[in-house]
Amino acid sequence: QVQLVESGGGSVQAGGSLRLSCAASRYTNCMGWFRQVPGKQREGVAGIYTVSGRTYYADDVKGRFTISQDNAKKTVYLQMNSLQPEDTAMYYCAASGYCSGGYPIRGYWGQGTQVTVSS
């Protein structure tokens, strides 16, 4: 079992920044961030291979979001800059021993943290 605790969500105006944190009880090979809005499927935002540090991003966040890790703290971060109203969603941290397309699959989920961007 892996427990994931997210923090850092909130409300900002367009153009603002937020940093999400995900503290893991145990590190896994692949960790990432997903987001979901009501009525839509959960989508991958950013992923990281924790051993190599290789990162992956969804096209619509490239250049604005950065995923990083602190191995000693077993924590993964998502720095979000130039936020836009369309980034409004519940953001979930995920962890797994397996990656597919750069994102963790068939693993564990955090409880989610809400990000709201106003225009």
Side-chain angles (χ1 to χ4, degrees):
Q1 273 289 39
V2 178
Q3 281 78 46
L4 303 170
V5 179
E6 300 114 328
S7 60
S11 298
V12 294
Q13 290 192 325
S17 299
L18 284 172
R19 188 176 82 153
L20 306 183
S21 299
C22 173
S25 62
R26 178 171 62 83
Y27 233 25
T28 59
N29 183 53
C30 187
M31 296 187 70
W33 290 93
F34 292 73
R35 65 187 179 188
Q36 188 172 24
V37 297
K40 292 190 175 181
Q41 282 193 329
R42 195 170 293 186
E43 61 177 9
V45 175
I48 185 168
Y49 283 93
T50 57
V51 175
S52 68
R54 187 171 181 178
T55 57
Y56 297 84
Y57 296 94
D59 287 342
D60 57 350
V61 306
K62 283 180 182 176
R64 300 189 298 123
F65 290 12
T66 302
I67 188 170
S68 62
Q69 60 180 342
D70 184 330
N71 290 12
K73 295 182 179 179
K74 292 181 287 187
T75 299
V76 172
Y77 304 96
L78 185 68
Q79 177 67 43
M80 304 184 294
N81 298 327
S82 301
L83 282 161
Q84 299 301 316
E86 51 266 33
D87 295 315
T88 295
M90 184 70 79
Y91 283 71
Y92 296 91
C93 178
S96 175
Y98 308 97
C99 277
S100 177
Y103 297 98
I105 58 170
R106 299 193 298 273
Y108 305 91
W109 294 94
Q111 81 285 357
T113 184
Q114 178 68 36
V115 171
T116 302
V117 185
S118 58
S119 57

